[in-house]
Amino acid sequence: MSEVILETKKLVAGFGDLDAVKGIDLRFEKNSVTAIIGPSGCGKSTYIRCLNRLHEEVPGAYSSGEVLLNGENIQGLRVDPVAIRRRIGMVFQKPNPFPSLSIFDNVCVGLKLSGVRKSSVLKEVVETSLRAAALWDEVKDKLDAPGVSLSGGQQQRLCIARTLAVEPTVLLMDEPTSALDPISTAKIEELVTDLKKRVTIVIVTHNMQQAARISDRTAFFLLGDLIEFDDTSRLFTAPKQEQTERYITGRFG
Amino acid sequence: MERHFDIELRSLKNELIKMAGFVEQSVAYAVEAIRAQDPNIAQTKFKQIFEVERKVNQAHKDVDDACVKLLALQQPLAADLRLIVAIIKMNSDLERMGDQAVNIAHNSERFLKLEPKQTMEDLVVMGDEVRTMVRGALDCFINRDGEMARKILALDDSIDEARNRIFSEMKTYLKTHPENIEHGFNVIFIARNLERIGDHATNIAEDVVFAITGEDIRHGGSKGV
């Protein structure tokens, strides 16, 4: 087994009286892509938002258990959640570039906030990040244009570039292509496969074919429980659990 | 909850069963021709084999078309995917079985010399064993019976032994009857055709196990997908 970079132990999370995630143990291997699938309300988005402590930003949210990044628990008051989010970046369902910032500034905003001012450094990081996000060739001649002037698919890659600029260890993606057309979706999927050389990726998706295409391992969640976690090729061809079989063949309900 | 896809899968299975019915009939004609050892009856059976062959070829294409359509439009997973993959492979095996029955008809046109007696009896017994195996493999598919499919596989050893016995008998026979070399070769070819039908039935039984469990039992292995 490869090196485990991120792990949850007995992770429970919810809102008010409702446990959306009910004690999940999962291990994410370095430079792998793990897909999390499951029907709406199964807890997959809540789970992924616990991984970089975004969940706690929601009023009434709670969580317990452990989230270990390189073996260190990142839960708790002693750990700065902002620092964690730099190491565990996130891309959301809808692209969310900063509306008032240029393409260039959208990419390097994280670096600037952390005090980097040197123009040559910023330029280099912007180009490297945009290249890694497979966007450089499309925007290199209009870096001063507003980020929101790009198409939806380009905006999503811009958000990926923004996340990559601070060199995260883990990249979380919460349904990153659900608002995109098939061509933009294909570009993001290609990108995911390329990016796993430099980051570990956890992706939540409703699109099972997408999970099958791009992930190495797949976790199936149902009503806050982890039902099955296996190699993607195994889970989509011969799942061990009846509930997984029923879900992925559309017999659920 | 029945999906629309279930109806299409059922229709695909029925197409394959129809194809299997043609092939089974063709193999039966071939075995009956061997058993009859009568040129007139044999010619009638061979004619029937050629007629069925046309239906087999058409069914072969129909089943493949239906599989490609379902793969493209439904993007099946898990048991659905395994079933369609197994059907594609079974379809190919069935078509080859039909071809082997046609080969028997071709090879038999000049073989109807009733000697040596023991070999001709062995050929008839072998033909019956092959029919039993084909029937068994298809029943396993129809009834989704993986356990029975595993048992069917054992029958192939007996068919291989029968082929070896016939080869050996003909070798001995031809040493003393070299003038019958053409007849001898035809008998050997027919034994070989029957044995190949058994091999295709073996493949079908293995595909049934794969479709049901995901386990790959080919080549003695137990590695699944």
Side-chain angles (χ1 to χ4, degrees), chain B residues 124-167:
Chain B
V124 171
V125 171
M126 185 182 181
D128 285 337
E129 284 182 337
V130 168
R131 278 190 70 184
T132 302
M133 190 171 178
V134 172
R135 175 78 260 170
L138 298 176
D139 280 348
C140 293
F141 173 68
I142 293 165
N143 301 324
R144 285 183 53 80
D145 190 340
E147 286 310 306
M148 183 55 72
R150 289 173 198 270
K151 289 178 186 155
I152 293 292
L153 296 174
L155 296 179
D156 194 44
D157 292 342
S158 168
I159 289 169
D160 289 347
E161 282 167 22
R163 175 207 53 194
N164 293 341
R165 200 164 51 245
I166 290 166
F167 280 13

Side-chain angles (χ1 to χ4, degrees), chain B residues 63-133:
Chain B
V63 170
D64 267 355
D65 283 351
C67 288
V68 169
K69 186 177 153 222
L70 287 181
L71 286 174
L73 302 184
Q74 299 287 351
Q75 305 185 351
L77 292 169
D80 298 334
L81 175 65
R82 297 199 306 270
L83 175 63
I84 295 175
V85 169
I87 284 179
I88 291 171
K89 291 161 76 183
M90 284 189 259
N91 189 35
S92 178
D93 277 307
L94 285 167
E95 194 271 337
R96 297 295 301 141
M97 289 159 93
D99 285 348
Q100 294 295 344
V102 170
N103 288 344
I104 290 173
H106 284 307
N107 291 328
S108 304
E109 279 178 328
R110 291 183 302 277
F111 98 105
L112 286 159
K113 214 183 232 304
L114 308 180
E115 57 186 332
K117 191 166 178 296
Q118 182 59 50
T119 303
M120 301 314 288
E121 283 174 8
D122 283 346
L123 207 54
V124 171
V125 171
M126 185 182 181
D128 285 337
E129 284 182 337
V130 168
R131 278 190 70 184
T132 302
M133 190 171 178

Side-chain angles (χ1 to χ4, degrees), chain A residues 208-209 212-213 233-239 245-246 248-253, chain B residues 1 3 5-6 9 74-82 213-215 224-225:
Chain A
M208 280 180 286
Q209 302 298 338
R213 280 193 294 269
S233 59
R234 172 87 201 172
L235 189 131
F236 282 110
T237 52
E245 169 87 37
R246 290 176 61 77
I248 66 176
T249 57
R251 289 189 173 87
F252 212 77
Chain B
M1 181 183 72
R3 305 161 304 169
F5 184 31
D6 289 324
L9 275 180
Q74 299 287 351
Q75 305 185 351
L77 292 169
D80 298 334
L81 175 65
R82 297 199 306 270
T213 66
E215 189 183 351
V225 285

